[in-house]
Amino acid sequence: MRVRADDPQLNEVLTGAGPAGKDPRDGLVFVARTGLREWAETEDELAQAFDMTRETVAAGGAVVYVVRSAALLGRTEPLDAAVAAGLLSGARALALERRKHNGYSAVVAVADDVEPKSVADAVDLLVATRGANGQAFVLGDEHLGAALP
């Protein structure tokens, strides 16, 4: 799978997750950046996700977005939360639109204390089983007691 991740350790373990290869038909793992301070950064992040997703979907590949759990729950900076919510909405739309063609998309929401290897294992599991299609798969316990989007 193609991987877009700024964290070198996460990038390394995710590069081995899912189908081997970097061709769009092998799938995409897009790790959302955090610490966004300006709307232009947010637009750029979503535009890059859109462009990479469009290429992957056109080739028939699976799409997995990785976001921070706190961002998905709205417990971070507003622009980080906006990106996380936008990617979840995108994954849901992709799952619905691609259901006739066995398309797959999901979001892995990761707590701060989750090891990169666990993220890669989750991506492997989700892509292999097509589990949580169009939904968030949460790693960690930050979501306990919260209403998930």
Side-chain angles (χ1 to χ4, degrees):
M1 296 183 84
R2 290 186 313 157
V3 175
R4 202 300 302 258
D6 287 346
D7 178 299
Q9 187 179 13
L10 189 55
N11 186 63
E12 183 179 339
V13 297
L14 286 172
T15 299
K22 296 184 188 255
D23 188 276
R25 68 180 160 253
D26 297 322
L28 169 67
V29 179
F30 184 93
V31 181
R33 292 184 176 110
T34 57
L36 304 173
R37 300 283 179 231
E38 297 183 19
W39 184 247
E41 293 175 308
T42 306
E43 288 177 326
D44 290 345
E45 185 71 354
L46 291 171
Q48 187 173 10
F50 177 81
D51 290 341
M52 294 180 80
T53 298
R54 179 176 47 198
E55 184 179 4
T56 301
V57 168
V63 176
V64 179
Y65 300 126
V66 178
V67 302
R68 305 310 305 171
S69 292
L72 192 60
L73 295 170
R75 297 177 179 166
T76 60
E77 296 298 321
L79 297 178
D80 292 351
V83 168
L87 293 176
L88 178 58
S89 294
R92 288 178 171 161
L94 284 170
L96 181 63
E97 292 296 326
R98 298 174 68 203
R99 71 181 181 266
K100 292 180 183 175
H101 305 287
N102 197 32
Y104 181 77
S105 59
V107 171
V108 178
V110 182
D112 290 336
D113 61 349
V114 172
E115 294 294 321
K117 175 74 168 93
S118 295
V119 178
D121 290 345
V123 170
D124 274 336
L125 172 73
L126 291 171
V127 172
T129 64
R130 306 301 238 203
N133 194 11
Q135 298 300 317
F137 184 85
V138 183
L139 298 176
D141 60 8
E142 290 179 345
H143 67 289
L144 297 177
L148 290 174

